[in-house]
Structures are given as structure tokens and as C-alpha cells.
Amino acid sequence: MAFQLAHPPTSAAAAPGAISGALVPRESAPQLREAYRRAIPFQIALTGVTTGGLFFATCLGLFDMLGVTPFALLRDSAGGVAGWLPVVSLVPFAFMPLTDGLTSSVVGVLGWASRGAKTVSGHHSLAPGALRRLPSAVRLVAAGAATVLAGVLALLFWNPDPEQTLLIVVLTVPIAGMLLTLGIRPLPAASRAWRAGLAHAELTEHIRATGRHSTAVVTDVEHRGWWLDQQPVFRVRAETREQPVTTLEFQVAEYPRWAPAPGHVIDVWARTPQTTDSGDTGDTGGFDPEHTVVERQIVGQQFDSPGEELRRPASGGDGPAIGPVAPHWADAFNPGAGTPGAWTVGVVAGLVAVAGAFLAPAAWFTGDPDGPAWLPWSLGAAVLVTMWQSAEWLGLRLMPRRAVGRGTTTLMPGILAFLLMFVNIFSAVFTWGLSDHFLDGDRGGPVALTCLGSVVAGVIPFILAVAGHGALVPTVTSALLAAARRRTGGTDAVPLSAEHVHEAMLSGDPARTSQLERDHGFAVGRLLRA
């Protein structure tokens, strides 16, 4: 989408269109905005279920310590406590993997981002204003609700004695009350900010569709000295070609490959309504920031070779290397670019799943019936997660259009497999390894097989996920380019370039992405913005 010169409101007190806060526009095509909007309910539900599930499991572990347990399979030879220690230790991880996805979707819908805390990779985008607390609020509410549910189930159906009842109430009521209070408190402000942000985005689309169109020429560009999502942030000044000449000023974050420069052309739409007692009587002319929309042109502009000063500095030591010149998907357009080995990663992940599938039953059948009965199910889950990772990577090559549309990622199965590895290993060591039978030599085989199967089905998928993440987007882009060339037979009147794709993904014209797919057979989606 294009963006207004005026920032959106960042709090309930700010009037719509008021300039407030240090925000940076993060434009997206209308189709991408709609894809982000559709993803938000799923990401909220997934965030809530993940956090709530882990807190629910934590409460069950605490109740099991008190002797209140709903299922026999939750108890083991160590009295039930040892088997739950790994699960309790995983609760903090619920606050990590999914926050970026929800935040990115909110930013993608509203088209604006605020600057997060500085890290070794630069600043990361946060949702503007009160919406930046939305992910944590969702997690806190889910955690509080799960705590209440676990306490209610324990009191009503698991027959605690009076002393256990008192302990359950003392444990759950203060914790749940604190979590729910902290989670619910920011929601009204976030809801108001969401509605105001949507209204601002709709006004931007309206101005672009109905406003007076002209162009402006960039006269001055200043690098602000910081980076947002690996992209340098610039202050841009441009002069309109329409008389009288008006100077427009705005911020933009862009990769060094397409950094703005003097002489670049910018599209401008303006519609300053004249309001009287009879309503809106038309455009009064001029370029009021609250009713002016700008959009950079990419195709046809002359871009200089980016210098090192525009790339995010390297962190040194084992920190991130120097920042990228362009997004990962653009690598596939470089002359002589090879195809990343998605087939290799997918096949390796599949072999890991098969190996884990043999090791998990071996640990099950050689184990002791008195051992943790839920451990084989956890091992089986690790194997299934690894198979999921294999399917994801193979799907990148077989169905690239579906992958780019739904924003698939191979990181999540790798992270889940890694966490399950800790659950399995700790459970085997604590419940079998610390028993008298193991000290006598009867349990060494099952514990060794369990640990080995857990490492195979956990560490390797995690390494594949982290190492292959950088090749994820180029893999999809290469597959899309190959499909586009097969579709057009190499007869494009205008060869497809990375500039065409980049401009289409930023343009507020909904026809641009459709034209890109119709003329070149190249589909764009949320994955290319990762």
C-alpha cells in the first residue's frame, strides 16, 4: 500500500491522522494486507493454545505433586514429580516462537511499525502504539484461563481432600488473577488502536483511489543511522512538480539495493476536502499531510551500487554478519543463481524421521511397564514433527505457489522437535535413570535408546531448521521463477526482474500483483516478506 505523510494515531487520545510517535511506514499490496488480516485470528488462537496448553500442563504437574491427578498415565515410578519437571521448564519458551508472526501480521495490515529495542541485528518492527502489547496480552489471558480451568477441573472432578483443596485454591486464584488482570488491562486500548489504524489505512486507500494524482522528485536523502528489520531508515525530501512547488518529507525503510536517491520519482495523491455545513464540497488543492499519500517508484529508477555504510554493521564475535543488500527472495534473480537444496533438506529430514520411528518403538518395547507411560507418545510426537518438517521442505519445491501464499515456515517444526527432545531425555533420565533398577543395570538399554532416539529426532531437525532458514525464501522464489519460465516459454516482452516483484508488493494498486501473475506467472505472498 501507499502511505500517508501523516502518521496514524498511536493511542486513543490521538486524533485520526494526527502526527504522533516515531513510526515508519511498512507498505504492502492490498492482497498482502488481506492475507495478513486473515492470518491474525489463527495466530492469536495458536498463540493462546500454545501458551494455555503449557500452563495447563504446569498446573497438572503442580497438582500431581499434591497427590491430585486425573489420569494414571500422569504418574510414574518417581511419584509423578520428575516426569513433569521438563514440562514446567518449557513454559518460558511459550513466549518466544509466535510473537513475531502476530506482530508482523498486525504491522502488515496497518502499514506502519514502531521501532523496537536495539539488538545485535538492529531494531525489529513492533506494532504501533497500544498494539505492541497485543501478543503478550494474548499469552497472559491464555495462561490465566488455563490456570483457572486446571483448578476448576481439579476441584470438581479429581476428588481432592480438604487440605489439597485449600492448597489448590491458594495456588491458582492469585496466579490466575494476576495473569488475567495483566492480560485484560491493555486489551481495550489495543482494540481502540486497531480500529483507528484500520480507519487510517482505509483513508489511505480512499485518497489513492480518488485523490488528485501528480508526481514529485526526490531532492535530498538522509540516512538516519539506524536499521529496522535489517533495512536502513531514511528521511526523504521531495518537491512536487505541480505548482506551486511543495516540499514533502517522510521516512522510509528500504534495503540498500533500492535505497532512495535524489532524482527518483514519487507518485503523489492528494485530496484536501473542503468541509462546509453542507458537507464535503471537493478538493481545495494543496498537499495537506493528513490527506496526502505517496508511493515510491522502483521500476525504471536508477539505483547506485549500495555502499557498506548502508548495510547493518556486523556485530562481531559470534554475532550476526553485516546486513543484507536485498531481501532473500531477490537472490534468485541474480545471474547464475543456483537452486537451494530443498530436496536435500527434505530428504534428510525424512530419513531422520524414519530413524526416530525405529528408535522410539525400540525404547518403548524394551522399557519397564512401571516407567512413564506417556513417554512413548511424546517420542511419537517428535517423530511426527520431524516428518512435518520433511513435508514442509519438499512442499517448497512441489507446491511453491501454495507455500508463498500461506507463509509456510520450517522453523516451527524444528523448534518443537528440539523442545520435545528435552522432555524425552529429562523424563527418561529422571524416571528411569534415577531408579534402583537402573543402578542395578536393568534400565540402561531403554534409557540409552530413548536418549538416542530423542537426540536424533530433536537436534538434527533443529539444526536443519536453523541452517536452512536462510535458504527458505530463495528456494520458493527459484521454484516460482522456474514455473514462470515454463509457463511463458521465455517469451516475456519485458523480462521479469526483482524490481517488478518488489514494486508490486509495495504498491497500493491491487492490479499490480495480479498483473505480475497474469503476465509472468509469478505469485507473491506473505512468505516473500519474511
Side-chain angles (χ1 to χ4, degrees):
M1 61 183 288
F3 59 92
Q4 291 185 43
L5 295 183
H7 296 175
T10 58
S11 67
I19 299 178
S20 60
L23 302 183
V24 179
R26 307 299 286 159
E27 317 97 282
S28 293
Q31 290 89 336
L32 291 177
R33 287 187 63 232
E34 179 61 21
Y36 282 123
R37 187 194 64 78
R38 290 196 305 266
I40 287 177
F42 170 76
Q43 289 168 336
I44 290 177
L46 188 60
T47 301
V49 169
T50 303
T51 308
L54 288 176
F55 268 83
F56 186 79
T58 302
C59 290
L60 294 185
L62 294 174
F63 298 161
D64 192 47
M65 296 178 188
L66 303 176
V68 181
T69 180
F71 306 110
L73 62 84
L74 297 181
R75 306 195 63 81
D76 52 47
S77 58
V81 177
W84 287 103
L85 289 178
V87 181
V88 174
S89 68
L90 294 180
V91 170
F93 286 93
F95 290 83
M96 296 175 57
L98 301 174
T99 303
D100 290 342
L102 180 55
T103 297
S104 298
S105 293
V106 173
V107 169
V109 172
L110 300 184
W112 290 85
S114 60
R115 179 170 61 173
K118 186 176 182 180
T119 68
V120 293
S121 298
H123 297 274
H124 295 286
S125 290
L126 292 178
L131 285 167
R132 69 170 59 195
R133 298 179 62 185
L134 178 61
S136 60
V138 171
R139 285 181 167 78
L140 290 168
V141 170
T147 303
V148 171
L149 178 61
V152 170
L153 290 177
L155 293 174
L156 295 182
F157 301 107
W158 300 339
N159 301 318
D161 59 36
E163 183 179 354
Q164 292 171 333
T165 300
L166 178 61
L167 288 174
I168 290 174
V169 171
V170 170
L171 282 173
T172 57
V173 172
I175 294 176
M178 179 186 65
L179 293 172
L180 290 173
T181 300
L182 293 175
I184 294 175
R185 182 179 298 173
L187 291 181
S191 177
R192 291 191 294 269
W194 173 253
R195 291 193 299 268
L198 288 180
H200 185 85
E202 291 172 0
L203 177 61
T204 299
E205 292 182 344
H206 177 71
I207 294 173
R208 193 190 188 283
T210 63
R212 181 184 72 260
H213 177 255
S214 61
T215 57
V217 179
V218 175
T219 58
D220 182 63
V221 177
E222 174 192 354
H223 179 211
R224 300 296 306 279
W226 55 279
W227 289 258
L228 184 69
D229 295 334
Q230 308 273 22
Q231 303 174 34
V233 177
F234 303 92
R235 185 189 299 276
V236 180
R237 295 179 180 86
E239 292 184 350
T240 61
R241 289 172 170 170
E242 179 181 308
Q243 298 295 329
V245 174
T246 303
T247 299
L248 309 178
E249 184 174 329
F250 54 90
Q251 282 192 144
V252 63
E254 183 57 277
Y255 284 100
R257 175 169 174 172
W258 298 299
H264 286 184
V265 178
I266 295 174
D267 288 307
V268 183
W269 292 267
R271 187 179 187 277
T272 305
Q274 181 180 11
T275 304
T276 64
D277 294 339
S278 59
D280 185 355
T281 60
D283 187 8
T284 62
F287 298 93
D288 175 19
E290 294 186 11
H291 298 89
T292 301
V293 171
V294 298
E295 183 175 291
R296 295 176 58 224
Q297 294 184 11
I298 303 296
V299 176
Q301 305 301 304
Q302 184 67 38
F303 294 99
D304 298 329
S305 298
E308 295 291 318
E309 69 278 0
L310 295 183
R311 302 178 67 179
R312 175 187 50 74
S315 300
D318 57 354
I322 190 171
V325 173
H328 289 306
W329 60 262
D331 296 341
F333 288 87
N334 296 332
T339 301
W343 292 109
T344 302
V345 178
V347 171
V348 170
L351 294 175
V352 170
V354 172
F358 279 103
L359 290 171
W364 188 353
F365 289 120
T366 58
D368 192 303
D370 294 331
W374 57 275
L375 176 59
W377 297 98
S378 181
L379 283 168
V383 173
L384 291 177
V385 166
T386 311
M387 295 175 66
W388 171 23
Q389 185 188 44
S390 177
E392 287 278 6
W393 275 101
L394 295 177
L396 297 180
R397 298 298 302 174
L398 297 174
M399 297 177 290
R401 299 170 72 86
R402 180 171 180 267
V404 74
R406 70 187 180 92
T408 185
T409 176
T410 58
L411 270 179
M412 186 56 66
I415 293 174
L416 290 177
F418 195 59
L419 297 183
L420 284 170
M421 178 197 71
F422 284 104
V423 174
N424 297 334
I425 291 178
F426 290 168
S427 299
V429 172
F430 280 123
T431 59
W432 284 347
L434 300 182
S435 67
D436 294 335
H437 292 289
F438 178 73
L439 297 178
D440 294 336
D442 296 339
R443 302 277 184 89
V447 172
L449 283 173
T450 301
C451 293
L452 180 60
S454 301
V455 170
V456 170
V459 173
I460 298 179
F462 181 73
I463 294 175
L464 290 175
V466 175
H469 185 61
L472 172 65
V473 175
T475 293
V476 176
T477 312
S478 298
L480 288 172
L481 281 176
R485 294 188 184 103
R486 289 194 299 268
R487 177 175 173 176
T488 61
T491 59
D492 293 348
V494 179
L496 180 63
S497 67
E499 284 66 34
H500 288 93
V501 176
H502 189 53
E503 186 175 84
M505 287 197 296
L506 299 181
S507 175
D509 183 1
R512 297 297 298 275
T513 53
S514 301
Q515 182 181 8
L516 190 70
E517 185 168 0
R518 183 181 66 251
D519 295 347
H520 301 281
F522 191 95
V524 299
R526 289 188 298 127
L527 183 64
L528 298 188
R529 301 301 300 272

